[in-house]
Amino acid sequence: MKAVATEGRRFGYRRIHVMLERQGIMMNLKKLRRLYREEKLQVRRRGGRRFRVLAVVDDYSRECLALVADTSLSGFRVVRELDVLIARRGRPAMVVSDNGTELTSMAVLSWCLRTGIEWHYIAPGKPMQNGFVESFNGRFRDELLNETLFSFLADAREQIRAWQHDYNHHRPHSGLGNIPPVEFMAKKGLEMRAA
């Protein structure tokens, strides 16, 4: 029983029972359950809390402007982060997003009225209306979130920050002529000054 539990760390006592039966070891399920508990072989809950990430991406430059990780993200937190971005980068012409509860909150609607920035919501169930961001989210999930076990939220934030830096400064983007977003914006700035 211990050997099977070691091989399949996420196996519960029922699956261990089936595995033992396959090996020709017959045992009453209730007895197996009692031994399973006595040996403290219960499937342990994975440590760490879930967290959410607010991703803000510039459609033109493909630059990831913000990846904000927290256990929850309210509408107030979203507009606070957007205000920080605007102070640093300037006003966007429009914000495009899905219909998440934090993005359709009264805080966001009030922010739009206060700033005069248009907010466009994609149609429910139509993620391709915001295709680049969906692609970005898939890449972020595939390359970092699915591949990394974070010990705690601060660890997640640090690794997300490092991934964002690499994405913006080193990763070539085919849509930008195989250069990183920061290099693309530097070239555009030089072109505009030369014109």
Side-chain angles (χ1 to χ4, degrees), residues 138-148 163 167 171:
R139 233 178 255 118
F140 175 55
R141 190 177 306 109
D142 187 49
E143 293 175 12
L144 181 70
L145 300 179
N146 290 346
E147 293 296 316
T148 312
W163 186 90
Y167 181 87
R171 175 199 210 107

Side-chain angles (χ1 to χ4, degrees), residues 42-57:
Q42 292 95 331
V43 176
R44 288 175 185 81
R45 290 188 174 264
R46 291 191 169 126
R49 296 175 58 188
R50 291 180 184 252
F51 61 89
R52 302 186 69 188
V53 179
L54 170 67
V56 182
V57 181

Side-chain angles (χ1 to χ4, degrees), residues 9-41:
R9 294 179 315 163
R10 303 296 299 166
F11 286 0
Y13 73 92
R14 287 187 178 96
R15 183 159 295 150
I16 291 174
H17 185 255
V18 170
M19 299 299 285
L20 290 174
E21 282 183 344
R22 284 185 180 174
Q23 294 176 17
I25 302 170
M26 299 299 171
M27 184 182 296
N28 180 297
L29 185 63
K30 288 180 183 178
K31 180 177 181 178
L32 177 75
R33 183 177 178 204
R34 183 176 47 78
L35 292 171
Y36 180 81
R37 283 185 177 174
E38 285 175 10
E39 295 295 327
K40 297 185 179 4
L41 297 174

Side-chain angles (χ1 to χ4, degrees), residues 57-165:
V57 181
D58 182 344
D59 277 353
Y60 174 70
S61 70
R62 305 294 200 244
E63 186 177 0
C64 175
L65 303 176
L67 286 172
V68 180
D70 214 331
T71 53
S72 68
L73 293 167
S74 66
F76 290 109
R77 177 70 184 275
V78 169
V79 298
R80 190 174 77 216
E81 295 297 336
L82 291 175
D83 284 336
V84 168
L85 280 174
I86 289 171
R88 197 174 80 218
R89 298 282 301 236
R91 278 177 97 249
M94 177 189 294
V95 175
V96 179
S97 75
D98 63 15
N99 296 283
T101 54
E102 68 279 3
L103 302 172
T104 57
S105 69
M106 286 304 294
V108 168
L109 297 175
S110 299
W111 181 83
C112 289
L113 289 173
R114 177 174 52 85
T115 61
I117 295 173
E118 185 180 346
W119 197 292
H120 174 74
Y121 293 101
I122 63 172
K126 304 279 186 184
M128 286 317 298
Q129 289 181 355
N130 203 4
F132 173 71
V133 173
E134 290 299 322
S135 174
F136 171 85
N137 288 339
R139 233 178 255 118
F140 175 55
R141 190 177 306 109
D142 187 49
E143 293 175 12
L144 181 70
L145 300 179
N146 290 346
E147 293 296 316
T148 312
L149 182 63
F150 303 108
S151 302
F152 39 87
L153 187 58
D155 177 41
R157 287 176 176 154
E158 183 179 319
Q159 292 194 48
I160 288 169
R161 213 173 359 261
W163 186 90
Q164 179 184 0
H165 183 270

